[in-house]
Amino acid sequence: MLREPQSLNCLLVKPAGPDCNLRCSYCFYLRKGELFGRGAHRMDEETLAILTRRSLERAHGAFSFIWQGGEPTLMGLPFFEKAMGLQRHYGDGLRISNALQTNATLVDADWAVFFKANDFLVGVSLDGDEHVHDHHRVDTAGRGTWRTVSANARLLLGAGVAANAVACVSAYSAPYAAETYAFLKETGFDHMQFIPVVEPDGNGGVTDFSVSPEAYGEFLCTLFDAWRADFKDGRPSTSIRLFDTLFFTLLGHPAPECDARGTCGLYLAVEHTGDVYPCDFFIEPAHHLGNIREHHLHDLFNSRRQRLFGGAKAQLTPTCKACRWLPLCGGGCLKDRRNNPAGFKMSYFCTSMTRFLPHAVPTLKGLASRWRG
C-alpha cells in the first residue's frame, strides 16, 4: 500500500557546511569537511535561491528554516539578509519561521538587531559556567570561549532576542547539573536544551569525553530536581526541552522531538552544496538523498530512502518493545543507537531513561492533570 505523500515543513540548512571558528574537542561535525574537500565551504546565492524556492513552492501553511553548522554566522549578515528577501519573495501567504544555532563568538549588536527584526529563535551553545564550558569549547588556539559567549548571550537577551541555551552534557560536565542550571538561569535563559555527548572511539567503545548512561541518568534526575524546586505557584518557571517533550506526550500529543517518536524523518538536512540528507547526524554518502539542483525537496522527503531511514527506529529489541517507558522515549535517537557498542537496536542512553523516567513522570503526570483541569 502506498503511503500518502507527506508535506515537508522543516529544513535544517548548513550554509557554511562543517566550517567553524572553534575547535570544540567533542565536535563530531568538523571531520565532515573530508566529504567536501579543502578550503572554505560556503553556500552561494544561486544555491540559496534554489533552496528557498523549492522549499516554499509546495509548502502549506507554515515552514521552518533552521540554520546550523559548523558555525552559520561565518556566512555574514548579508547572506542572511538575502535569505530573508528570498523568503518574502517565494513565501507569500506562508507563516515562515527561522531559527539559528550559534557558538555566539561572532555575534554583535548588528546581529542582535537582525535577529530581533526578523523574529529569529537563536540557540546559543553555552555548556555552563566557565570551568564547564571551557573544558571542551575552545578556539583554534586552544583558548576558552566562555567569557565571549556568555557576554554575547547577555547581549542577545538584553536586545529582546528570543534565545535559548543549548548545553552539551559530557563526562566532565555531568556532575554539575544543578550548577549549570543555576548559571544558565542567572544568565537570563528561561529556555534550555541539554544534549548528551556520545561518540565512538573507533575501537568498539566510546570516547573518554562521552557521558556514561549512568552519569547522564543522574544528571537528568538532578536537573529535574533543580527545575522542580524553581516552580512558582505550582508551575515551571523555566522550560527544558526534554521535560516539555515528556509533558506534551503525557497530554496525548505527538512528541515534539523526533527522538521520542516511533519514527524519524521529520525534516531534511541540506548542506552548503545543495546535497540533501535525512538528518544532520547522518550526513554521509550512504544516506545521501540527492541534490536540490536535480531533485525537488518534497520529492526527496517522500522518497523510499527517506521512508526507510525514518522506519529504522522500529528495529527494537524484544526488551525495548515490552518496556513500559517506550511510549515516552520512542526508542531514542538513531544516532545514539548507532553509537551504542551494545548494538543498534537499543539506545546507548536506555539505562539513563529507565533511571530518570520513574523519577520524573509522577510529577509530570500531576502537571498534565492540572493542565487538563
Side-chain angles (χ1 to χ4, degrees):
M1 183 175 180
L2 293 176
R3 186 189 76 162
E4 186 173 340
Q6 303 296 302
S7 179
L8 174 67
N9 57 25
C10 183
L11 209 61
L12 192 154
V13 187
K14 294 180 174 288
D19 292 1
C20 189
N21 59 324
L22 301 188
R23 292 297 179 268
C24 303
S25 54
Y26 53 44
C27 182
F28 76 97
Y29 211 75
L30 273 175
R31 63 177 179 268
K32 297 294 183 182
E34 300 167 1
L35 296 175
F36 308 111
R38 296 188 178 185
H41 305 100
R42 301 289 185 272
M43 180 176 286
D44 59 42
E45 290 192 1
E46 181 184 8
T47 305
L48 175 63
I50 295 171
L51 169 75
T52 310
R53 174 171 57 83
R54 293 200 162 179
S55 300
L56 301 178
E57 63 187 0
R58 293 194 202 171
H60 302 285
F63 198 92
S64 298
F65 292 92
I66 303 172
W67 306 90
Q68 278 195 1
E71 176 49 44
T73 60
L74 288 171
M75 298 299 298
L77 264 176
F79 174 87
F80 286 97
E81 290 167 344
K82 177 72 173 178
M84 296 303 99
L86 289 166
Q87 289 180 17
R88 288 189 290 271
H89 178 72
Y90 291 114
D92 186 36
L94 294 171
R95 300 186 307 277
I96 300 174
S97 62
N98 287 274
L100 182 141
Q101 180 63 39
T102 178
N103 61 40
T105 58
L106 303 178
V107 167
D108 58 17
D110 290 338
W111 278 105
V113 169
F114 171 82
F115 291 144
K116 176 67 175 174
N118 291 281
D119 295 321
F120 267 64
L121 171 64
V122 179
V124 176
S125 296
L126 181 57
D127 283 356
D129 213 339
E130 186 168 9
H131 76 99
V132 171
H133 181 90
D134 283 352
H135 190 80
H136 291 294
R137 302 192 64 81
V138 297
D139 64 17
T140 55
R143 296 169 300 207
T145 59
W146 178 83
R147 291 185 182 278
T148 299
V149 176
S150 57
N152 288 343
R154 288 187 169 92
L155 182 154
L156 290 172
L157 292 164
V161 174
N164 61 0
V166 181
C168 288
V169 184
S170 66
Y172 179 83
S173 65
Y176 302 104
E179 175 186 322
T180 297
Y181 174 81
F183 167 75
L184 294 176
K185 185 181 177 188
E186 184 276 329
T187 300
F189 289 108
D190 53 22
H191 287 74
M192 308 172 194
Q193 180 183 2
F194 297 88
I195 301 175
V197 174
V198 56
E199 289 294 321
D201 64 4
N203 297 307
V206 298
T207 58
D208 291 341
F209 57 70
S210 297
V211 61
S212 71
E214 295 76 18
Y216 183 55
E218 291 305 315
F219 174 91
L220 289 176
C221 290
T222 303
L223 178 68
F224 187 86
D225 291 344
W227 174 76
R228 177 66 183 85
D230 242 356
F231 278 22
K232 300 291 188 294
D233 299 322
R235 296 174 178 269
S237 62
T238 56
S239 168
I240 294 178
R241 195 165 179 176
L242 172 60
F243 304 165
D244 290 348
T245 293
L246 293 171
F247 175 73
F248 283 111
T249 303
L250 289 167
L251 282 173
H253 300 297
E257 299 303 309
C258 53
D259 58 352
R261 293 193 177 200
T263 59
C264 281
L266 301 183
Y267 66 92
L268 293 176
V270 183
E271 264 289 351
H272 64 291
T273 55
D275 289 311
V276 183
Y277 300 86
C279 171
D280 60 318
F281 289 116
F282 289 83
I283 291 183
E284 50 202 39
H287 291 95
H288 182 246
L289 297 176
N291 188 284
I292 60 172
R293 296 174 182 272
E294 302 161 3
H295 305 90
H296 200 287
L297 282 162
H298 293 259
D299 294 335
L300 295 176
F301 186 61
N302 285 283
S303 66
R304 181 175 182 273
R305 180 172 286 190
Q306 175 72 355
R307 292 199 304 272
L308 288 172
F309 175 83
K313 286 198 72 178
Q315 300 175 27
L316 298 168
T317 64
T319 301
C320 267
K321 290 179 179 180
C323 180
R324 62 180 291 207
W325 303 116
L326 180 60
L328 293 177
C329 84
C333 178
L334 282 178
K335 178 262 299 182
D336 297 332
R337 285 164 58 173
R338 181 171 70 169
N339 291 342
N340 186 4
F344 175 80
K345 293 186 178 182
M346 183 175 288
S347 171
Y348 176 79
F349 294 110
C350 178
T351 55
S352 310
M353 301 311 290
T354 55
R355 167 72 179 95
F356 166 66
L357 289 172
H359 182 80
V361 164
T363 296
L364 292 171
K365 279 186 173 179
L367 284 174
S369 296
R370 290 198 294 276
W371 182 278
R372 290 190 192 97

